[in-house]
Amino acid sequence: MAYSAKQIFPLTHVSQHKFSAPIRHFRLPLFSSNNNNQVKISLLPKRPLHVSASLQGPKDPKPREALGPAKAYESEQSQPISINIEFDREMSQKLRIGVYFATWWALNVVFNIYNKKVLNAFPFPWLTSTLSLAAGSAMMLVSWATKVVEVPETDLNFWKALLPVAVAHTIGHVAATVSMSKVAVSFTHIIKSSEPAFSVLVSRFLLGEAFPMSVYFSLLPIIGGCALAAVTEINFNLTGFMGAMISNLAFVFRNIFSKKGMKEGKSVGGMNYYACLSIMSLLILIPFAIAMEGPTIWALGWEKAVTEIGPHFVWWVVTQSVFYHLYNQVSYMSLNEISPLTFSVGNTMKRISVIVSSIIIFNTPVQPVNAMGAAIAILGTFIYSQAKL
């Protein structure tokens, strides 16, 4: 079935004057219809056409001659306007990384401050560590139940690969909390800045991985700076020192096991991967926390803390628990966007922000030699990240 243009678009009451310029290069094919009675229209002028015409309806009171002749012309000056908006991908990437780092550092600083406040009033690192993992696990379970976050698709192989990661994560988390319950936050993070040295040594002697000499030389300022800071630490505590060292070793193994775990769970994003890690770590930690401290001691300590601090203590616990999960979640999410080298540099800068902010907030006494040791260790960590390029 076909219809002509005249049948579809009847032109009535159009001025009979001749057009001042002919209409050129204008194609108006007939309407075509297929067996499904679907009409296809093709109306494609080759160049932009501007029509100036006067149409007089049947009830137009003005005479036709007063309206003037109808005119049609093909514009020679009008040009199509094209707007091309090009986004600078490199600048966008840098901006996104900056947002990740700023969020990561800010959340980590808040966690460390409130975690230390809780531990000063409630010196039970096993329960404090358990509450941190419990808060994150509860947040993610609610997010999955309400469909705010898509439920991850996992299988038995994923959970098997996640188990050693969760064990190492649990040990590292508890050890770091034990350290901060005994020494200043700044001292714990100075010692934890030696984590690259543990990473190289474990990879070299246990995994047989070789590194260039520049990497080995970069470990010297890290080890030397940490040793200088430890020797000159005013409130040195062996338990706090060993806790930070064990945390370093545990997190190195966590990173090694994570390589396999991330391959098994490659369809699981960073947010859900850390959520699954938190849930499994919580299940591992609960029986050990009960055995090490126990509900009786917790009840007495909690009552004492609430009496001394007041109701603010409860908000301290909630804040440190929630922010622990948030800062770790952001760090795992950032791994999907940035390279391991960039992540390592960001981790180094994070420790600087935590050390400086904790010294200011808690008025931690720092000797010049101690500060120099911390600076050397942090600088060595940065050199290490560059040497691995």
Side-chain angles (χ1 to χ4, degrees):
M1 178 174 61
Y3 301 93
S4 67
K6 182 176 180 180
Q7 290 172 316
I8 304 301
F9 301 105
L11 299 177
T12 59
H13 303 287
V14 181
S15 173
Q16 300 299 321
H17 292 277
K18 294 183 179 180
F19 292 99
S20 59
I23 301 177
R24 296 174 295 156
H25 306 299
F26 191 86
R27 295 182 289 117
L28 181 60
L30 296 179
F31 290 72
S32 61
S33 174
N34 55 21
N35 295 331
N36 296 327
N37 293 327
Q38 294 179 346
V39 180
K40 297 182 180 180
I41 304 173
S42 176
L43 185 60
L44 300 172
K46 288 187 177 180
R47 301 185 66 176
L49 182 66
H50 301 268
V51 178
S52 174
S54 299
L55 299 178
Q56 181 177 358
K59 296 182 180 181
D60 193 350
K62 296 182 180 180
R64 190 185 308 273
E65 290 75 16
L67 297 176
K71 297 180 181 180
Y73 63 93
E74 185 179 28
S75 174
E76 300 291 341
Q77 297 179 349
S78 301
Q79 298 294 333
I81 301 175
S82 60
I83 302 176
N84 297 323
I85 302 176
E86 297 181 358
F87 293 96
D88 189 339
R89 294 184 178 180
E90 184 178 354
M91 183 61 66
S92 177
Q93 177 73 5
K94 290 180 179 180
L95 179 61
R96 185 164 58 250
I97 293 174
V99 171
Y100 271 122
F101 279 4
T103 306
W104 179 19
W105 299 341
L107 294 174
N108 190 260
V109 168
V110 174
F111 159 72
N112 279 277
I113 291 172
Y114 279 93
N115 189 46
K116 183 59 177 176
K117 285 185 174 183
V118 171
L119 292 171
N120 286 341
F122 185 76
F124 299 98
W126 288 84
L127 177 58
T128 304
S129 302
T130 304
L131 293 176
S132 300
L133 294 174
S137 300
M139 290 167 60
M140 291 308 300
L141 289 174
V142 172
S143 298
W144 291 337
T146 57
K147 305 299 182 181
V148 174
V149 178
E150 184 179 357
V151 180
E153 297 181 1
T154 60
D155 53 18
L156 184 60
N157 291 330
F158 169 80
W159 293 104
K160 285 182 178 179
L162 188 64
L163 179 59
V165 183
V167 171
H169 179 72
T170 304
I171 296 173
H173 175 42
V174 174
T177 308
V178 169
S179 175
M180 283 192 283
S181 69
K182 299 295 182 180
V183 296
V185 176
S186 57
F187 180 71
T188 298
H189 279 272
I190 291 171
I191 302 303
K192 284 179 67 63
S193 65
S194 63
E195 185 177 325
F198 284 83
S199 179
V200 171
L201 295 177
V202 169
S203 299
R204 176 67 182 88
F205 293 106
L206 295 184
L207 302 179
E209 185 177 353
F211 297 92
M213 289 304 298
S214 58
V215 172
Y216 294 109
F217 281 120
S218 69
L219 301 181
L220 296 178
I222 296 176
I223 298 173
C226 289
L228 183 61
V231 170
T232 58
E233 175 64 24
I234 298 176
N235 299 316
F236 179 82
N237 181 280
L238 183 59
T239 302
F241 175 78
M242 292 304 298
M245 297 291 280
I246 293 173
S247 178
N248 281 339
L249 188 61
F251 283 142
V252 167
F253 280 104
R254 182 193 67 176
N255 296 337
I256 293 173
F257 295 143
S258 291
K259 293 180 180 180
K260 181 180 178 181
M262 292 295 282
K263 290 180 180 178
E264 293 291 342
K266 57 185 177 181
S267 61
V268 180
M271 178 184 296
N272 281 333
Y273 185 86
Y274 181 71
C276 296
L277 179 61
S278 295
I279 294 172
M280 181 170 281
S281 295
L282 176 63
L283 297 176
I284 295 172
L285 179 56
I286 287 176
F288 289 96
I290 294 174
M292 292 297 297
E293 294 173 348
T296 303
I297 299 178
W298 292 340
L300 294 175
W302 186 274
E303 183 180 355
K304 180 182 177 182
V306 172
T307 302
E308 294 178 353
I309 306 300
H312 295 294
F313 173 74
V314 178
W315 292 110
W316 290 359
V317 174
V318 172
T319 302
Q320 73 91 24
S321 300
V322 171
F323 275 79
Y324 173 79
H325 176 78
L326 292 178
Y327 101 77
N328 276 286
Q329 190 176 75
V330 171
S331 68
Y332 268 82
M333 291 171 62
S334 65
L335 282 174
N336 292 338
E337 299 289 336
I338 61 180
S339 66
L341 176 62
T342 306
F343 183 85
S344 178
V345 175
N347 198 39
T348 302
M349 302 303 294
K350 177 203 73 175
R351 299 207 185 280
I352 295 177
S353 62
V354 171
I355 290 171
V356 173
S357 60
S358 64
I359 290 175
I360 295 174
I361 292 174
F362 294 107
N363 294 322
T364 306
V366 179
Q367 296 180 353
V369 180
N370 185 263
M372 183 175 66
I376 293 174
I378 296 296
L379 178 62
T381 305
F382 178 77
I383 296 175
Y384 163 81
S385 65
Q386 299 299 309
K388 290 198 70 178
L389 257 172

